C-alpha cells in the first residue's frame, strides 16, 4: 500500500508526482523482467485513463 | 474519552445554533455559523456515520478492496486514506457549492445555512459514503451499471440519460457564470484568456520537457496564473489594450463554445490535464485561505435571517423558499453528481473498506463547509449591494438610478455613489446587474481577503477570485464535455457500430460537436435573455442534480433492502423521500405556475402575448421567439426529468416489495469476500 513517509512524500504522492516511481517499483516487484513504459508514455497513458471517466464534479 | 469529546461538541454546537436562532433581528457573527456547522459535521461523522458504517453497510476492514485484489500499479492502487480523501475531495469540489449558496442568499442567510448543514449530514454525506461502499464492493462499478444490475434496465438507462442531460444543463449554466464574470471586464477577460496558453505551456512541460513532474509544473503554472492576474491590472490601465479585451456577452459565449469544443477533441495532456492541475492547486489553496481569513476577520452577517422574498417574489429567481432554497443550494448539501465520482475512480484506490467513512462522509462534510463559506461571503455584503450586483437589468432596469431606487424600495438601501465606489475599488467599470453569482462572490471574497491580508489590494483580490472561479469552471466544462462525448459515443454506438469507437476521429468530432451544440444552445439563450438566464438555468440544473441524487439514493435503498436490512433502509429512504418531494414540487410549480417568473409555460405565453400585442421594444421583440421556444423546451425537459425519476423510484419499490414478499429478484453483483492481506 502507498503510505507517505513525511510531508514531502505525502505531497508527491497526493499530487501524483511520484506515480512513475511507484509504477516502476510495482512492476519490478510483481512482474520483474517485463518491459516498462517510459516516463513520458506512462504519463500520457495515465492522463488518458484518468480523463476517460467522470473525475470532476460540479 | 471519545464520548466526552462528543458531549462537548454537542454542547458547543447547540450554543452556536441557539445564538444563530436568537439573533433573528440583529447582526450575527459569521463565526457562530462556522462553529455550528463544524460541530454538527463532527457529531454526524463521529456518531451517525459510524453507526451507518457498522450497522447498515456492515463495513468490514478485513475484506480486501478492489485496489488490493486488482493492484496493477496504475488505476487500481491501494492508497493511504488521507491521500484518497484529498483526491476524492478535489474531485467532488466544484463551482456548484459557491454559486448555489450565493443565489440562495436572496431568502436571507438562515434557510440556506440550515439546509447546507442538515442536508449534508443527513443526506449528501450519507449518499456519498453509501455509494462509495457499494461500488467498492462491486469492483468499482459505475452508478449506471449498479442501477442496471440491481434494479433493472430501466434504472440503468435512466441513470445514463439523466447524467447526460444534467451534464448539458450544468455546463451551460457554468458557461453562463463565466461569461457574465468576463462581460465588459477587460481585467477578468484578459486573465481568463491568459490561463489557456499557460495551461498549454504546462501541458508541454509535463508531456515533453519534464514528463510527469507534476509538482514543479504546478508551482510554475500557479505562479504564471498569479502573474496573469497582476498583469490584467496593467492591461486595464492601458486604454488600447483595455478596449481590445472589452467584450459584450454574445462574443464571449461564442468564445466559450469554441473553446469547449477544442478542449474536448484535443489530446488531454495538451489542455485538460494541465488546466486541472492548476485549478486543483488554486481551489485547495483558496478554500484553505478563505477559511483562515473568515476565522481571522470573523465578519458580521449583514443580510437579515429571512427576507421578504421567501414568499416567491425574489429578484434573482422566482419561487418560494420551499422548495426552491433546496433546489438552489443543490451541491452544497446533496449532489447527485458525487454519486458518479464515488462509483468509479475513488473505489479503485481505496485501501480499506473502513476508509469509506473518512473519504465518503468526510469529503462531503468539507464540501458543505465550502458552501457555508460561500453563503458567508454573500451575506456579509450590504444587502443593498448584494441585490444591486445580482439582480438582472430586466427586473430593476438598466439605469443605475432606477436600480438603486427599486432596491432601496425593497428595504435594502443602496446608492449609486456606493456602487461606483465599490466598482472602482474592485477595478471594474460597473457592478450593477452582474448576475450569475461569480461577481458578488468575488466582491465578498475580496472583502474577506482584503480586511485580513491588506485592504489596498482589493482590486487584485477581486480579480484573483474571478480567475479562481473561472479556472475551475472551465475545468468542469472541459471534463464535462469530454465525458458527455464518451456517453454519447456509447449511445450512438448502439445505432451504428463505428460511432462507438472512442478514438475514431470522425466520431470524436461529431459527438463532441453534438454535446457542445447542446450546452452551447442553452448558453446562447441564457446570454440573450434580458433577465440574465441564470434565473432559468440554475433552478433547472438544481432540479436535475437533485433528481440524480434521488436516483442514486434509489439504487442505495434497493441494495440495502435486498441485503436483508429493510429496517435500516430509512438512512437512504428518508433523504430519498425528501428529494422526491422537493424536486417533484419544484418541477410541478415550474410546469403549472401561472406566474411568468416561475412557470415555464406561463412565461412563454406571457411573452407571446406581449409580442403579438406589440408592446415589446424592438430589441426584445427580436429575441422573443427564441426565448418563447426555450421556455417551452425547458418545460418539456422538466417533465422528462420528472418522469424518469419516478420511473426509477417505482422500479426500486417494485424490486424491494418483491424481495420483502419472498419473490425472486435479480441477484446481488457484490464481489465475493476475500480476506485483506494489507497491513495498515
Amino acid at each position: 500500500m502507498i503510505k507517505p513517509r513525511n510531508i514531502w512524500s505525502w505531497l508527491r504522492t497526493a499530487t501524483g508526482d511520484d506515480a512513475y516511481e511507484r509504477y516502476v517499483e510495482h512492476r519490478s516487484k510483481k512482474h520483474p523482467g517485463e518491459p516498462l513504459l517510459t516516463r513520458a508514455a506512462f504519463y500520457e497513458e495515465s492522463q488518458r485513463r484518468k480523463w476517460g471517466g467522470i473525475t470532476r464534479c460540479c | 474519552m471519545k464520548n466526552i469529546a462528543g458531549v462537548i461538541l454537542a454542547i458547543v454546537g447547540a450554543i452556536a445554533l441557539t445564538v444563530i436562532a436568537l439573533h433573528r433581528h440583529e447582526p450575527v457573527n459569521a463565526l457562530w455559523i462556522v462553529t455550528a456547522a463544524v460541530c454538527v459535521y463532527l457529531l454526524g461523522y463521529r456518531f451517525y456515520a459510524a453507526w451507518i458504517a457498522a450497522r447498515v453497510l456492515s463495513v468490514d476492514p478485513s475484506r480486501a478492496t478492489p485496489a488490493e485484489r486488482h493492484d496493477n500499479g496504475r488505476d487500481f492502487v491501494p492508497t493511504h486514506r488521507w491521500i484518497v480523501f484529498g483526491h476524492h475531495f478535489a474531485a467532488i469540489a466544484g463551482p456548484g457549492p459557491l454559486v448555489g449558496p450565493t443565489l440562495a442568499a436572496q431568502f436571507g442567510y438562515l434557510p440556506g445555512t440550515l439546509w447546507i448543514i442538515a442536508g449534508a449530514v443527513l443526506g449528501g454525506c450519507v449518499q456519498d459514503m453509501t455509494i462509495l461502499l457499494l461500488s467498492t464492493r462491486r469492483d468499482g462499478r459505475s452508478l449506471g451499471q449498479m442501477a442496471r444490475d440491481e434494479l433493472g434496465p430501466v434504472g440503468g438507462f435512466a441513470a445514463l440519460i439523466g447524467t447526460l442531460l444534467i451534464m448539458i444543463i450544468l455546463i451551460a449554466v457554468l458557461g453562463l457564470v463565466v461569461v457574465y464574470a468576463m462581460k465588459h471586464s477587460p481585467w477578468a477577460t484578459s486573465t481568463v484568456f491568459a490561463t489557456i496558453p499557460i495551461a498549454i505551456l504546462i501541458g508541454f512541460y509535463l508531456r515533453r520537457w519534464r514528463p510527469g513532474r507534476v509538482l514543479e509544473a504546478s508551482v510554475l503554472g500557479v505562479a504564471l496564473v498569479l502573474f496573469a492576474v497582476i498583469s490584467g491590472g496593467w492591461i486595464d490601465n492601458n486604454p488600447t489594450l483595455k478596449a481590445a479585451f472589452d467584450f459584450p456577452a454574445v462574443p464571449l459565449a461564442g468564445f466559450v463554445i469554441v473553446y469547449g469544443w477544442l478542449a474536448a477533441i484535443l489530446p488531454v495532456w495538451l489542455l485538460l490535464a494541465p488546466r486541472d492541475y492548476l485549478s486543483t492547486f488554486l481551489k485547495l489553496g483558496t478554500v484553505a485561505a478563505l477559511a483562515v481569513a473568515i476565522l481571522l476577520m470573523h465578519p458580521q452577517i449583514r443580510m437579515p435571517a429571512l427576507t421578504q422574498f421567501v414568499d416567491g417574489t425574489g429578484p434573482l429567481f422566482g419561487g418560494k423558499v420551499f422548495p426552491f432554497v433546496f433546489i438552489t443550494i443543490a451541491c452544497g448539501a446533496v449532489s447527485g453528481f458525487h454519486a458518479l465520482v464515488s462509483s468509479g475512480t475513488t473505489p479503485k484506490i481505496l485501501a480499506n473498506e473502513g476508509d469509506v467513512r473518512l473519504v465518503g462522509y468526510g469529503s462531503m462534510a468539507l464540501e458543505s463547509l465550502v458552501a457555508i463559506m460561500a453563503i458567508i461571503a454573500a451575506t456579509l455584503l450590504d444587502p443593498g449591494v448584494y441585490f444591486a450586483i445580482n439582480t438582472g437589468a430586466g427586473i430593476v432596469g438598466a439605469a443605475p438610478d432606477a436600480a438603486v431606487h427599486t432596491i432601496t424600495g425593497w428595504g435594502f438601501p443602496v446608492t449609486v455613489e456606493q456602487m461606483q465606489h465599490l466598482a472602482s475599488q474592485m477595478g471594474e467599470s460597473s457592478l450593477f446587474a452582474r448576475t450569475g453569482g461569480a461577481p458578488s462572490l468575488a466582491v465578498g471574497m475580496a472583502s474577506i481577503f482584503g480586511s485580513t491580508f491588506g485592504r489596498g489590494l482589493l482590486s487584485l483580490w477581486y480579480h484573483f477570485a474571478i480567475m479562481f472561479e473561472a479556472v475551475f469552471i472551465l475545468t468542469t466544462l472541459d471534463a464535462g464535455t469530454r465525458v458527455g462525448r464518451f456517453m454519447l459515443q456509447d449511445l450512438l454506438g448502439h445505432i451504428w457500430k463505428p460511432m462507438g469507437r472512442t478514438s475514431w476521429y470522425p466520431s470524436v468530432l461529431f459527438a463532441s460537436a453534438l454535446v457542445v451544440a447542446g450546452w452551447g444552445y442553452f448558453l446562447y439563450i441564457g446570454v440573450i435573455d434580458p433577465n440574465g438566464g441564470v434565473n432559468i438555468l440554475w433552478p433547472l440544473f438544481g432540479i436535475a442534480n437533485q433528481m440524480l441524487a434521488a436516483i442514486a439514493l434509489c439504487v442505495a435503498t434497493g441494495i440495502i433492502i435486498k441485503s436483508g436490512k429493510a429496517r435500516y433502509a430509512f438512512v437512504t429512504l428518508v433523504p430519498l423521500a425528501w428529494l422526491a418531494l422537493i424536486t417533484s414540487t419544484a418541477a410541478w410549480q415550474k410546469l403549472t405556475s401561472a406566474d411568468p417568473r416561475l412557470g415555464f409555460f406561463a412565461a412563454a405565453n406571457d411573452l407571446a402575448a406581449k409580442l403579438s400585442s406589440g408592446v415589446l421594444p424592438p430589441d426584445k421583440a427580436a429575441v422573443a421567439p427564441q426565448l418563447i421556444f426555450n421556455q417551452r423546451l425547458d418545460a418539456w425537459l422538466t417533465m422528462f426529468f420528472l418522469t424518469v425519476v419516478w420511473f426509477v423510484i417505482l422500479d426500486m419499490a417494485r424490486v424491494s416489495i418483491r424481495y420483502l414478499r419472498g419473490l425472486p429478484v435479480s441477484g446481488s453483483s457484490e464481489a465475493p469476500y476475500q480476506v485483506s492481506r494489507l497491513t495498515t
Side-chain angles (χ1 to χ4, degrees):
Chain A
M1 167 160 108
I2 299 168
K3 273 203 274 189
R5 276 163 286 275
N6 52 42
I7 293 178
W8 176 240
S9 99
W10 193 91
L11 201 62
R12 291 200 67 208
T13 307
T15 53
D17 200 59
D18 64 354
Y20 185 68
E21 282 114 275
R22 286 192 271 112
Y23 160 76
V24 172
E25 197 186 315
H26 173 90
R27 298 293 291 186
S28 60
K29 224 187 280 172
K30 299 273 174 74
H31 312 273
E34 286 179 37
L36 283 174
L37 292 173
T38 63
R39 197 180 259 278
F42 175 79
Y43 173 75
E44 201 186 328
E45 198 233 54
S46 66
Q47 291 302 332
R48 236 199 334 262
R49 201 175 39 233
K50 178 177 175 185
W51 296 103
I54 298 172
T55 41
R56 284 297 174 265
C57 199
C58 44
Chain B
M1 193 57 212
K2 279 188 167 172
N3 285 332
I4 296 173
V7 170
I8 293 172
L9 272 176
I11 293 171
V12 176
I15 293 173
L17 282 170
T18 314
V19 171
I20 296 170
L22 294 181
H23 275 60
R24 288 282 294 278
H25 299 289
E26 50 192 300
V28 65
N29 196 292
L31 270 193
W32 289 113
I33 295 178
V34 175
T35 310
V38 171
C39 288
V40 175
Y41 299 144
L42 290 174
L43 284 171
Y45 182 79
R46 168 74 185 83
F47 295 102
Y48 192 44
W51 179 81
I52 292 175
R55 288 295 174 82
V56 186
L57 303 176
S58 306
V59 166
D60 182 355
S62 79
R63 185 180 185 133
T65 59
E68 180 184 351
R69 283 183 283 117
H70 304 295
D71 187 358
N72 60 5
R74 294 182 188 179
D75 48 347
F76 287 94
V77 184
T79 307
H80 188 267
R81 63 199 196 115
W82 281 105
I83 291 173
V84 184
F85 174 84
H87 276 265
H88 188 73
F89 176 70
I92 64 169
L98 298 177
V99 178
T102 306
L103 302 180
Q106 75 162 355
F107 295 123
Y109 71 81
L110 199 58
T113 303
L114 291 181
W115 175 241
I116 291 171
I117 299 174
V121 168
L122 300 175
C125 298
V126 176
Q127 172 204 268
D128 290 16
M129 174 169 80
T130 307
I131 296 292
L132 177 59
L133 181 84
L134 297 178
S135 175
T136 303
R137 286 259 174 101
R138 286 160 180 76
D139 282 337
R141 264 170 225 260
S142 72
L143 179 70
Q145 287 170 319
M146 288 197 287
R148 201 163 43 228
D149 296 345
E150 305 275 348
L151 298 179
V154 175
F157 185 70
L160 183 68
I161 290 290
T163 314
L164 189 58
L165 283 175
I166 290 169
M167 202 93 80
I168 301 269
I169 302 288
L170 166 77
I171 297 173
V173 74
L174 292 180
L176 202 55
V177 170
V178 175
V179 166
Y180 282 133
M182 295 195 291
K183 183 180 157 188
H184 291 304
S185 170
W187 191 338
T189 308
S190 63
T191 309
V192 174
F193 280 14
T195 60
I196 297 166
I198 293 173
I200 291 175
L201 182 77
I202 300 301
F204 274 102
Y205 189 101
L206 278 167
R207 172 76 179 84
R208 297 251 187 266
W209 305 324
R210 299 266 297 154
R213 260 61 168 222
V214 174
L215 263 179
E216 54 190 56
S218 303
V219 170
L220 175 69
V222 169
L224 287 173
V225 167
L226 293 180
F227 177 71
V229 175
I230 296 170
S231 57
W234 303 333
I235 287 175
D236 199 48
N237 280 328
N238 178 318
T240 327
L241 286 172
K242 189 172 176 167
F245 285 102
D246 188 339
F247 294 107
V250 174
L252 286 172
F255 157 78
V256 170
I257 290 168
V258 172
Y259 167 79
W261 186 66
L262 285 177
I265 58 171
L266 289 174
V268 276
W269 64 264
L270 186 60
L271 191 54
L272 177 53
R275 172 185 281 293
D276 180 65
Y277 282 118
L278 297 182
S279 76
T280 306
F281 270 86
L282 282 170
K283 181 161 69 189
L284 299 180
T286 308
V287 164
L290 195 59
V292 171
I294 286 179
L295 291 182
L296 292 177
M297 182 194 177
H298 49 83
Q300 296 282 326
I301 300 297
R302 304 222 195 122
M303 182 71 81
L306 293 173
T307 64
Q308 68 267 40
F309 301 130
V310 293
D311 68 357
T313 56
L316 275 68
F317 55 90
K320 289 186 181 164
V321 64
F322 177 87
F324 283 95
V325 72
F326 309 101
I327 298 295
T328 311
I329 293 285
C331 327
V334 186
S335 175
F337 230 84
H338 294 184
L340 305 173
V341 177
S342 303
S343 63
T345 322
T346 308
K348 295 179 183 162
I349 57 171
L350 209 64
N352 191 300
E353 268 192 12
D355 300 346
V356 292
R357 181 157 69 115
L358 176 70
V359 175
Y361 200 96
S363 297
M364 180 59 213
L366 189 57
E367 164 100 326
S368 173
L369 186 61
V370 174
I372 288 286
M373 294 198 283
I375 207 165
I376 289 173
T379 53
L380 63 79
L381 299 176
D382 250 336
V385 169
Y386 167 85
F387 285 109
I389 298 175
N390 282 304
T391 309
I395 307 279
V396 289
D401 288 332
V404 296
H405 181 75
T406 313
I407 294 164
T408 305
W410 291 336
F412 303 114
V414 60
T415 61
V416 176
E417 294 72 40
Q418 194 185 352
M419 289 301 293
Q420 271 166 353
H421 178 65
L422 191 68
S424 75
Q425 272 186 323
M426 300 295 162
E428 290 287 284
S429 53
S430 165
L431 284 172
F432 277 107
R434 301 291 301 272
T435 55
S440 101
L441 180 68
V443 172
M445 279 171 68
S447 12
I448 294 172
F449 284 139
S451 71
T452 311
F453 306 123
R455 195 155 263 295
L457 302 166
L458 271 178
S459 57
L460 267 184
W461 286 122
Y462 174 86
H463 288 96
F464 171 79
I466 290 282
M467 179 276 299
F468 149 79
E469 290 173 76
V471 160
F472 72 106
I473 284 181
L474 289 178
T475 308
T476 307
L477 191 139
D478 297 0
T481 306
R482 217 177 176 85
V483 169
R485 178 195 115 194
F486 288 132
M487 288 176 169
L488 199 61
Q489 284 183 306
D490 189 36
L491 279 174
L492 292 174
H494 291 295
I495 302 166
W496 189 46
K497 264 264 176 307
M499 285 305 288
R501 287 187 353 233
T502 48
S503 55
W504 187 49
Y505 239 68
S507 165
V508 169
L509 296 181
F510 179 69
S512 304
L514 224 52
V515 173
V516 173
W519 60 256
Y521 162 77
F522 286 103
L523 172 58
Y524 172 72
I525 294 290
V527 163
I528 61 167
D529 187 336
N531 289 336
V534 174
N535 55 337
I536 296 177
L537 273 182
W538 191 265
L540 198 58
F541 159 67
I543 291 174
N545 183 4
Q546 299 301 288
M547 283 184 171
L548 188 58
I551 293 175
L553 287 165
C554 272
V555 174
T557 308
I559 295 178
I560 290 172
I561 291 176
K562 279 170 62 188
S563 67
K565 298 202 166 164
R567 67 185 179 287
Y568 294 137
F570 69 88
V571 296
T572 50
L573 200 54
V574 171
L576 167 61
W578 178 250
L579 291 185
L581 176 71
I582 57 159
T583 52
S584 303
T585 314
W588 185 253
Q589 292 184 0
K590 292 303 273 181
L591 289 173
T592 61
S593 169
D595 175 3
R597 296 201 49 243
L598 182 57
F600 288 131
F601 286 123
N605 297 341
D606 180 62
L607 201 56
K610 278 183 187 155
L611 184 65
S612 59
S613 63
V615 293
L616 290 178
D619 56 325
K620 284 190 180 171
V623 296
Q626 287 164 304
L627 295 179
I628 293 168
F629 172 78
N630 184 55
Q631 295 273 10
R632 298 216 165 105
L633 178 68
D634 291 344
W636 289 107
L637 207 55
T638 308
M639 236 181 276
F640 178 74
F641 283 145
L642 195 62
T643 315
V644 165
V645 84
W646 277 100
F647 249 103
V648 180
I649 292 175
L650 293 175
D651 204 28
M652 183 274 287
R654 176 188 65 87
V655 172
S656 304
I657 291 169
R658 280 183 71 87
Y659 175 83
L660 293 174
R661 291 175 60 191
L663 297 168
V665 289
S666 57
S668 166
S669 52
E670 201 171 281
Y673 178 89
Q674 204 176 314
V675 72
S676 171
R677 293 173 199 288
L678 283 178
T679 46
T680 44

